Amino acid sequence: SYVLTQPPSVSVAPGKTARITCGGNNIGSKSVHWYQQKPGQAPVLVVYYDTDRPSGIPERFSGSNSGNTATLTISRVEAGDEADYYCQVWDSISDHVVFGGGTKLTVL
Amino acid sequence: QVQLVESGGGVVQPGRSLRLSCAASKFTFSRYGMHWVRQAPGKGLEWVAFISYDGIKKYYADSVKGRFTISRDNLKNTLYLQMNSLRAEDTALYYCAKDPFQGVVMTTFLDYWGQGNLVTVSS
C-alpha cells in the first residue's frame, strides 16, 4: 500500500522557519493533510487539502505539495509549536487512510 | 464544539475480545463518516477503520481486517469497534475521529478527535 516518509526529527531556533517534509510516490497528485500532536494530547488538524488551515490555526502554519514531496512550513516558530507532526493522505487504490511516521519538532 | 468520548478499554488477555465505544455529541452524528485510529505507546498514528455516515461503507487496515469490526448506532450517536482475537501488538491508545463532510461515503481527513482510550493486551 501507499507509503508516506517523514524525517524522525527537525530542530529549529525560536523565530526561525521549520519545514517538515512528507515524501510519497507522486504525492503531488493526492491531497495531503497535517496534524499536530502535543505530548499527552489528541492530534489536532493544522492543514488540510495541502494548503488550507482550519479556523483557529495561526497563519504561521502553511503547506505545499508537489511532485514527490509535501511540506508543512511553520514560520516564526514558537516554543508552543514543539510537538509531533503527522502527514496523511487517502489512498483510493487500497481504500486506506495512510499516516506518515511522524516528525518530532524540537524548538531549541 | 464537537465532543467525542471513547470508553470500553482496559486490560485483556491475548485471544480475547473487547468492544470500544465512542459517544458523539454537539454535532449531527448520523450525517458524518467516522474513524478509529490507534497509537501504540511511544509510536506514531495508525489508522484502523472507517465507516460511512450510513454504515454501508466500511474500510479496514490490513493489520485488523477479519478481527475488528466497526459499526455505529445513529439513534444512540455512538460509534463502536468490536475487537476479537486480540494480540499484544494491538496494545494502543484508541482514538475515534470524525470526517469533515456530511452525507458522503468517501473520506478525506479527520477534523475532530476524541481523547483516546487505552487498550492493553497482556497475559
Side-chain angles (χ1 to χ4, degrees), chain A residues 12-15 18 36-39 41 44 46 57-58 60-61 74-85 104-108:
Chain A
V12 63
Q36 175 194 69
Q37 186 180 33
K38 296 182 179 180
Q41 298 184 20
V44 172
V46 292
I57 300 301
R60 300 185 297 104
F61 289 80
I74 309 172
S75 304
R76 302 181 300 282
V77 167
E78 304 173 356
D81 298 330
E82 194 162 273
D84 294 325
Y85 291 85
K104 181 176 180 59
L105 176 67
T106 299
V107 180
L108 300 171

Side-chain angles (χ1 to χ4, degrees), chain A residues 14-35:
Chain A
K16 300 299 186 182
T17 297
R19 294 178 179 85
I20 299 172
T21 59
C22 176
N25 184 33
N26 197 26
I27 194 173
S29 67
K30 299 180 180 297
S31 294
V32 179
H33 320 290
W34 292 91
Y35 304 86

Side-chain angles (χ1 to χ4, degrees), chain A residues 35 37 42 49 88 90 96, chain B residues 39 60 62 95 101 108 110 114:
Chain A
Y35 304 86
Q37 186 180 33
Y49 285 143
Q88 176 253 310
W90 166 252
H96 282 24
Chain B
Q39 187 170 34
Y60 296 93
D62 295 344
Y95 295 100
F101 303 117
T108 49
L110 296 70

Side-chain angles (χ1 to χ4, degrees), chain A residues 1 33 35 37 40-45 48-49 55 84 86 88-90 92 94-102, chain B residues 35 37 39 43-47 50 59-62 93 95 100-101 106-116:
Chain A
S1 58
H33 320 290
Y35 304 86
Q37 186 180 33
Q41 298 184 20
V44 172
L45 180 71
Y48 62 99
Y49 285 143
S55 61
D84 294 325
Y86 296 89
Q88 176 253 310
V89 301
W90 166 252
S92 59
S94 61
D95 287 336
H96 282 24
V97 169
V98 180
F99 287 100
Chain B
H35 298 262
V37 178
Q39 187 170 34
K43 302 298 184 182
L45 301 174
E46 180 188 15
W47 173 76
F50 165 80
Y59 304 122
Y60 296 93
D62 295 344
L93 187 63
Y95 295 100
F101 303 117
M106 299 303 294
T107 184
T108 49
F109 57 93
L110 296 70
D111 62 350
Y112 288 96
W113 299 59
Q115 287 304 305

